[in-house]
Amino acid sequence: MDKIKIVFFGTPEFAVESLDKLLKSGADIAAVVTMPDKVAGRGHKLIQSDVKRYALEKDLRILQPEKLKSPEFISQLREINADLFIVIAFRMLPEIVWNMPRLGTFNLHASLLPKYRGAAPINWAVINGESKTGVTTFFLKHEIDTGDIIQQREIIIEPEDNVGIVHDKLMHLGADMVVETVKAIEENKVITMPQPEGNHKPAPKIYKDTCRINWEDSAIHIHNLVRGLSPYPAAWTTMIDSKNDKPVDVKIFDTKVCNENLTYGNPGDITILKDKLLISTGDLLLEILSLQPAGKKRMDTSAFLRGYHPIKFI
């Protein structure tokens, strides 16, 4: 049986794993579509996407359209005459693109759809304290993340997993499922099912305000927020330090809920016990295990307390 011709759309590391597994499985990747290079940093260097760097190593054809509806890009895609498009962590495709290949376009989404439709499904699953999540392949249609499901796999979110750990679990699980989905399409063995109604939870884009800690929340809610944003982009707060006139923004990466029924002062108040940094919340105390003041490197609490004298987080 002839291999189907595939165009792969993706940008970050999460997509690279699937592209690598596809190539190792013998898939015919006719082209890779990824975001244009970005100018970043003080040196104004051009930054290539993870997918582009991988595609260059493998000598794959690369397309980087500024606009997905541009006549030049549409013409390039039509000339490739691919049988199937695969989309992983890319921009929303216009219908003129996703409706082009004869076998359709499928997406790998990092949630158990219909839960967590949107841009940040892994973050929100952890922020919301879910005990499981997973990956879904589905065929694209008009409304984003609503197409018919091809396959799903789930994983357990361990109580102390952060979003980086869950991301990597889903990246590997999803890559294997992408290969399985392609094989099922090649063999005409796909049986899809509509996404069930209800049970929807949004997964909107993460902004800086999303990441700010409200110390009046419960300790477990703050703990889950920290987990769901660690290591990137990271939950943050503003610190008042007795030795510094100016407030300092601080990123927080690891926390632990103190289940003893102890409270000290008002939400955001700080208690230091030996090398422990304890913060009052809306209910229990929360211990800070690692953090990063603005302009400094990430450090554990004992190192932090050698250089700072915090009295309150706001």
Side-chain angles (χ1 to χ4, degrees):
M1 182 177 61
D2 292 336
K3 289 285 181 183
I4 58 177
K5 188 187 291 188
I6 296 168
V7 173
F8 183 93
F9 295 72
T11 294
E13 178 192 10
F14 189 86
V16 172
E17 182 71 14
S18 291
L19 181 55
D20 181 61
K21 287 278 179 70
L22 283 166
L23 286 174
K24 287 175 178 174
S25 75
D28 178 7
I29 306 297
V32 167
V33 183
T34 192
M35 65 181 288
D37 298 350
K38 282 185 176 179
V39 176
R42 293 179 181 177
H44 298 287
K45 293 181 180 179
L46 277 177
I47 306 298
Q48 299 172 340
S49 75
D50 294 327
V51 164
K52 180 177 179 179
R53 288 196 293 271
Y54 178 85
L56 285 169
E57 287 176 13
K58 301 301 180 181
D59 200 26
L60 298 171
R61 181 180 178 184
I62 300 167
L63 303 177
Q64 296 179 273
E66 292 281 352
K67 295 180 179 178
L68 297 175
K69 290 183 180 179
S70 73
E72 180 186 6
F73 176 58
I74 298 301
S75 176
Q76 288 173 324
L77 284 180
R78 285 190 173 132
E79 286 172 8
I80 293 170
N81 194 29
D83 303 296
L84 178 71
F85 291 170
I86 299 174
V87 184
I88 303 175
F90 193 68
R91 291 178 280 169
M92 185 176 176
L93 296 186
E95 183 174 359
I96 193 172
V97 173
W98 60 256
N99 205 22
M100 189 182 297
R102 68 180 182 86
L103 295 174
T105 298
F106 80 80
N107 176 240
L108 172 70
H109 189 74
S111 80
L112 296 171
L113 290 171
K115 278 189 174 182
Y116 298 109
R117 292 172 178 161
I122 310 176
N123 299 92
W124 285 106
V126 180
I127 290 169
N128 288 339
E130 300 280 3
S131 60
K132 67 178 182 179
T133 187
V135 283
T136 305
T137 51
F138 68 97
F139 283 116
L140 263 59
K141 67 176 192 179
H142 286 287
E143 298 81 10
I144 191 164
D145 295 340
T146 62
D148 289 350
I149 292 170
I150 307 168
Q151 294 190 25
Q152 284 189 322
R153 300 282 188 279
E154 71 176 46
I155 60 161
I156 300 298
I157 301 177
E158 300 295 343
E160 299 308 315
D161 281 352
N162 64 25
V163 74
I165 292 168
V166 179
H167 169 281
D168 289 354
K169 289 180 182 178
L170 294 179
M171 180 174 70
H172 296 294
L173 183 68
D176 290 336
M177 198 171 71
V178 164
V179 173
E180 292 172 20
T181 299
V182 169
K183 184 179 179 183
I185 291 171
E186 282 181 334
E187 296 176 354
N188 198 27
K189 292 181 179 178
V190 169
I191 300 173
T192 61
M193 69 172 192
Q195 292 189 30
E197 293 298 322
N199 209 19
H200 301 166
K201 290 187 179 180
K205 189 174 180 180
I206 301 288
Y207 294 98
K208 186 174 182 182
D209 283 350
T210 317
C211 304
R212 181 158 199 169
I213 296 169
N214 176 3
W215 294 104
E216 293 184 359
D217 283 345
S218 68
I220 190 62
H221 184 273
I222 297 169
H223 175 65
N224 288 338
L225 179 73
V226 170
R227 292 169 57 222
L229 298 169
S230 179
Y232 180 84
W236 66 280
T237 188
T238 300
M239 176 180 69
I240 306 298
D241 189 285
S242 63
K243 299 287 186 178
N244 195 331
D245 292 337
K246 293 183 180 179
V248 177
D249 286 347
V250 178
K251 292 181 177 180
I252 296 177
F253 299 99
D254 292 298
T255 57
K256 183 171 76 171
V257 176
C258 300
N259 288 313
E260 300 88 351
N261 193 19
L262 301 173
T263 56
Y264 294 98
N266 298 313
D269 285 354
I270 292 172
T271 302
I272 298 170
L273 296 177
K274 295 184 179 179
D275 280 343
K276 288 189 175 183
L277 179 62
L278 306 175
I279 318 298
S280 298
T281 71
D283 53 12
L284 302 171
L285 288 174
L286 191 71
E287 183 179 354
I288 308 299
L289 302 176
S290 68
L291 64 172
Q292 181 179 5
K296 304 293 183 179
K297 292 182 178 181
R298 177 174 172 172
M299 60 188 81
D300 63 25
T301 299
S302 59
F304 170 79
L305 291 174
R306 286 196 290 273
Y308 292 89
H309 300 83
I311 54 176
K312 191 171 180 67
F313 283 154
I314 58 175

